Amino acid sequence: CFKFSFHSTENHLKIIHMDDFIKVVETIELENYLLDPLAVVKGLRKAAGVDTPFIQHYLGYLSDDTEPHHLVIKPVDTGYITKVIKHRVTVLGVEEGVVLTADGTTVALSPLLLGIEAGLQSTPLGHVRGLYPLTLTKNLGLSFFHHAQSKLPASSSLGPGGCWDNVTAPQVFTLSGVASFATEALITGGMDGVIVGKHVAERTSRPLRLSGLLKEYYNHQLGIGGLDAAPALISQRRRTRFRKLVKQKGLKEFVHSYMDCPAIIPRCMWEAKPYRGIPTLLSLPLSFLFIHHTYEPSQPCLTFYQCSRDMRAMQRFHQDDRGWDDIGYSFVAGSDGYLYEGRGWHWQGAHTKGYNSKGYGVSFIGDYTSSIPSQSTMDLVRHQLAKCATDGVKLVSDFTIHGHRQLVSTSCPGDALYNKIKGWTQFGVRDEVTGVKL
């Protein structure tokens, strides 16, 4: 079993990971055992200096230090609390106030905690005052307004994401471009704030501990059934859950990027090696989606770290054993609820010989000769990736799905998976002479 430890350094408080934040919260809760979760979350926000008239409008004023329900935090923890909660982007493009989570995503803690605080202050009927403004809509509004005033393209109004200096012991998160007022981490933290805040508000009883609530959401271990057998309230279901909560359609760019499109783990997060040579740019939109299975690794991966390990193993095999420039696939589907970026949207892959310039190659991690991936994993590709690609003009609207074996002499994507995809709406039987879908 491949396992990482987040607590192997001498000073674990320097590690910017959700697991470490939860450990600090647990320590604070033990030292303030008479306080309820609302007092704890308010105290954390006060210690971090996250308090503005806008926040006060919805959540009220923070208590002073003489009140009996005041949270006491040791000085050794105060600096860490401030660093991981108070959000800002430095002139060097380092985003602070964010943490890496066990599922491989980066989350801003401030909108998450504001959403939880709003949920804890909800009325007996479950009304949550200010939930969306505190978590998402203010940041989105500021970002779109700023870009409209600056006459910048709408595509730059959201994000960007970024990369950690070290995935196993994260300390510094650097953005991959110019920051908007709604970075990816702020949006992800805001979505989580909405989800967890509404969950808290709708519960018949309040949670006993803030740390327990965070563990429930971020640290659920998927079993052999993957997401199909998992509870609804876990971070791996973030986008699906948020889509169900938000009935109305909002800003087109936000809906496309964070509700319709699946979450894709970027290359830097699975620690990809550099591309060898000069990549070939694809001419978009493409016409095909080619389905593969990895065969080796033969088992589905259920965690970010297992899937990342598998991605690195495949890249080594493709680069070192086969002599390719990079991992061959465009995208790879793990059974942890995420897609993993291979060659990506814009660069030609090495997945379907003779057809690499005509379509994207998507592989499911595992051997699907006699079994199929979980339904959630297949939906990730069949519905979410496909819709994302067509709406984003990466695939034509009438694109065709083929199994690898239809184009190359191979057993890929396995008998069981191939028989399954033959029932998908976009599946096409290929004419051997013209190559056209029948």
Side-chain angles (χ1 to χ4, degrees):
C1 177
F2 190 73
K3 187 177 182 180
F4 284 87
S5 172
F6 292 102
H7 312 288
S8 58
T9 61
E10 292 182 4
N11 185 0
H12 78 276
L13 292 183
K14 291 183 179 179
I15 300 176
I16 312 301
H17 193 278
M18 179 64 79
D19 289 355
D20 287 83
F21 174 67
I22 292 173
K23 283 187 174 293
V24 171
V25 172
E26 284 180 317
T27 299
I28 292 171
E29 287 172 333
L30 286 172
E31 294 165 350
N32 297 266
Y33 63 92
L34 294 178
L35 298 186
D36 63 16
L38 179 57
V40 172
V41 76
K42 279 183 171 291
L44 292 173
R45 181 162 65 83
K46 183 175 182 180
V50 178
D51 192 32
T52 64
F54 179 81
I55 295 173
Q56 291 168 2
H57 173 73
Y58 293 106
L59 299 179
Y61 292 94
L62 292 169
S63 62
D64 63 51
D65 296 352
T66 63
E67 294 193 22
H69 54 274
H70 167 67
L71 186 72
V72 177
I73 302 177
K74 290 181 178 178
V76 68
D77 291 330
T78 302
Y80 177 77
I81 290 295
T82 301
K83 183 175 183 179
V84 298
I85 293 180
K86 193 164 189 175
H87 185 270
R88 77 179 187 118
V89 177
T90 72
V91 293
L92 298 177
V94 173
E95 188 171 14
E96 298 178 349
V98 300
V99 297
L100 177 62
T101 68
D103 68 1
T105 54
T106 299
V107 172
L109 283 178
S110 180
L112 166 67
L113 295 176
L114 288 172
I116 293 173
E117 186 175 339
L120 290 170
Q121 291 191 175
S122 63
T123 66
L125 296 178
H127 173 68
V128 189
R129 187 168 184 263
L131 181 63
Y132 287 95
L134 290 166
T135 56
L136 267 178
T137 54
K138 179 188 176 184
N139 289 333
L140 290 175
L142 285 172
S143 189
F144 279 98
F145 177 77
H146 171 74
H147 282 73
Q149 293 293 102
S150 304
K151 297 183 179 180
L152 294 171
S155 58
S156 63
S157 61
L158 299 176
C163 297
W164 287 95
D165 57 332
N166 187 312
V167 177
T168 59
Q171 296 184 44
V172 179
F173 185 72
T174 304
L175 294 173
S176 58
V178 178
S180 71
F181 282 91
T183 65
E184 189 165 296
L186 277 172
I187 292 173
T188 304
M191 292 168 71
D192 287 349
V194 169
I195 294 167
V196 182
K198 284 187 73 69
H199 169 71
V200 168
E202 293 168 358
R203 283 177 56 157
T204 54
S205 61
R206 291 293 185 250
L208 297 177
R209 293 284 182 265
L210 173 63
S211 59
L213 183 66
L214 295 174
K215 283 183 180 180
E216 178 185 350
Y217 185 72
Y218 288 105
N219 289 354
H220 178 79
Q221 299 295 311
L222 295 177
I224 192 169
L227 280 180
D228 289 356
L233 192 80
I234 57 173
S235 60
Q236 294 97 320
R237 292 188 183 275
R238 176 183 295 111
R239 295 194 180 200
T240 302
R241 182 78 173 174
F242 187 79
R243 192 183 305 116
K244 290 180 179 178
L245 289 176
V246 182
K247 304 295 183 183
Q248 73 275 16
K249 291 294 183 182
L251 298 164
K252 180 180 178 181
E253 294 81 6
F254 172 74
V255 170
H256 171 72
S257 297
Y258 293 94
M259 296 175 68
D260 292 338
C261 286
I264 300 174
I265 302 294
R267 291 170 61 90
C268 64
M269 289 301 298
W270 60 265
E271 299 178 294
K273 296 292 185 183
Y275 189 95
R276 296 175 182 174
I278 301 174
T280 299
L281 191 66
L282 290 167
S283 179
L284 304 179
L286 305 182
S287 299
F288 299 95
L289 194 62
F290 303 123
I291 302 298
H292 302 249
H293 73 159
T294 62
Y295 188 71
E296 289 290 344
S298 62
Q299 297 301 311
C301 60
L302 295 172
T303 71
F304 164 64
Y305 295 100
Q306 290 172 351
C307 296
S308 296
R309 171 202 62 190
D310 290 346
M311 291 295 291
R312 294 192 296 270
M314 284 186 283
Q315 187 186 42
R316 282 194 301 270
F317 175 68
H318 289 176
Q319 287 185 323
D320 298 340
D321 292 18
R322 292 192 169 177
W324 298 348
D325 292 336
D326 198 358
I327 188 170
Y329 307 117
S330 306
F331 299 98
V332 178
S335 293
D336 62 336
Y338 294 96
L339 289 175
Y340 287 75
E341 181 185 23
R343 304 274 182 117
W345 292 117
H346 299 287
W347 305 109
Q348 181 175 305
H351 44 79
T352 312
K353 189 175 182 179
Y355 298 87
N356 292 315
S357 65
K358 303 178 186 299
Y360 294 111
V362 182
S363 190
F364 291 84
I365 292 180
D367 174 5
Y368 296 106
T369 303
S370 57
S371 64
I372 59 174
S374 67
Q375 188 62 50
S376 298
T377 305
M378 290 189 290
D379 288 347
L380 196 64
V381 174
R382 180 187 180 186
H383 298 303
Q384 296 177 52
L385 180 68
K387 179 172 176 54
C388 181
T390 53
D391 289 354
V393 200
K394 307 293 195 309
L395 280 174
V396 297
S397 59
D398 59 344
F399 74 95
T400 302
I401 289 176
H402 283 315
H404 188 196
R405 64 174 62 183
Q406 291 176 270
L407 306 163
V408 178
S409 179
T410 177
S411 62
C412 181
D415 292 345
L417 179 55
Y418 181 64
N419 288 332
K420 185 69 177 179
I421 68 172
K422 285 196 293 186
W424 292 4
T425 304
Q426 297 284 357
F427 180 83
V429 178
R430 177 177 172 273
D431 183 281
E432 294 298 328
V433 177
T434 66
V436 176
K437 173 183 174 183
L438 299 178

